[in-house]
Amino acid sequence: MNATVTMNGIAETSPRTKARLTGVFYLITIVAGIFAQGFISERLVSAGDASVTATNVLTHQSLYRLGFTVYLIEMASQITMTALFYELLKPVSRSVSLLSAVFSYIGCGIKTFSRLFYFAPLLVLGGAHYLSVFNTEQLQALTLLFLKVNDQGAAIALVFFGFSTLLKGWLVIKSTFLPRWLGVLSVLGGFGWLAFLSPSLGSQLFPYIVAVGLLGSLATIVWLLVVGVNEQRWKEQAAAAAASIWR
């Protein structure tokens, strides 16, 4: 019931307001992801040293827990952003916009589930009696293993985000209410994330993929926040799409 009311409220919001809300939640998603990954996870996790990683997690538990919280905020924002993008772009093609949203939701589900493995080291290193069957080195190894599974899960999610972003870029190119160059940047970013169909290739190209992806994301965020969409053209395209259904 509440979900239905929420979606109806989004649908009734003006196109420009939808665009700006999309930009806000897009910005929160990007900032939260960069903060949790770049300023917390990268700082505490030593990819090749289980002992150092376990020590960092235990020494900075509050910071580590904050990272988990921020990761969840990131996903909540991305889920909201996905719903808003669907509403914003469905006048171009309802079916393609829905497919883009489905890919994004699948990616969000995978990425959120993978965060269980990010949280797992707190349980493994928590000193529970039932873990006494493991020695210290084994617990440290399990900690690093769980964190690697977390990273792999996030990489798998990027593939689905890649398909979603690719479709979203096509929709923007075909739209009459957003500039086509934003769609081109989105398509390029989507192809970049699809490099993670081969995890080793994605890891090798990651700095370049992130650069292109961030460029497209930031350009889209700025445009949505500052300009929004051309409301008249959005309504015209929405009316044309509605008329074609009844033909």
Side-chain angles (χ1 to χ4, degrees):
M1 179 69 175
N2 290 336
T4 302
V5 172
T6 300
M7 290 305 297
N8 287 339
I10 291 174
E12 293 170 4
T13 305
S14 71
R16 188 160 292 170
T17 301
K18 287 178 188 175
R20 289 187 170 145
L21 284 172
T22 304
V24 168
F25 283 101
Y26 203 164
L27 180 61
I28 294 172
T29 301
I30 295 296
V31 171
I34 290 174
F35 179 76
Q37 185 66 34
F39 293 92
I40 297 180
S41 186
E42 293 293 335
R43 175 182 170 186
L44 299 181
V45 178
S46 177
D49 196 321
S51 176
V52 169
T53 298
T55 300
N56 287 340
V57 171
L58 288 173
T59 305
H60 304 283
Q61 282 195 50
S62 296
L63 181 63
Y64 191 84
R65 290 177 185 274
L66 175 63
F68 179 74
T69 300
V70 176
Y71 274 134
L72 295 187
I73 292 172
E74 175 198 10
M75 286 298 95
S77 298
Q78 188 157 359
I79 289 168
T80 306
M81 177 194 77
T82 298
L84 288 165
F85 259 125
Y86 166 73
E87 287 292 332
L88 193 64
L89 296 174
K90 72 178 182 181
V92 184
S93 171
R94 183 185 292 267
S95 58
V96 176
S97 187
L98 178 61
L99 184 58
S100 175
V102 169
F103 276 124
S104 182
Y105 284 138
I106 292 173
C108 288
I110 293 171
K111 199 168 184 180
T112 302
F113 179 76
S114 73
R115 298 315 180 197
L116 288 173
F117 294 93
Y118 176 88
F119 190 83
L122 293 171
L123 303 177
V124 170
L125 300 172
H129 176 70
Y130 61 83
L131 292 172
S132 60
V133 295
F134 299 101
N135 61 39
T136 300
E137 289 76 16
Q138 289 171 330
L139 292 174
Q140 291 173 347
L142 282 173
T143 293
L144 191 56
L145 173 62
F146 284 136
L147 289 170
K148 287 184 179 295
V149 173
N150 165 69
D151 289 341
Q152 188 60 53
I156 293 171
L158 289 177
V159 174
F160 289 92
F161 293 143
F163 285 119
S164 176
T165 304
L166 193 61
L167 293 172
K168 185 172 66 182
W170 182 87
L171 289 167
V172 172
I173 291 171
K174 291 292 183 180
S175 74
T176 58
F177 47 82
L178 285 168
R180 290 183 176 180
W181 59 267
L182 285 179
V184 172
L185 288 176
S186 184
V187 168
L188 291 175
F191 276 122
W193 297 126
L194 290 180
F196 281 91
L197 285 166
S198 169
S200 59
L201 177 63
S203 297
Q204 291 173 9
L205 299 178
F206 187 71
Y208 308 103
I209 295 170
V210 168
V212 174
L214 275 179
L215 176 63
S217 296
L218 293 176
T220 301
I221 289 168
V222 171
W223 187 274
L224 292 175
L225 290 177
V226 176
V227 180
V229 297
N230 186 314
E231 285 203 30
Q232 182 179 349
R233 291 183 178 177
W234 188 94
K235 291 176 180 177
E236 288 172 354
Q237 196 160 11
S244 67
I245 294 175
W246 294 102
R247 287 176 187 171

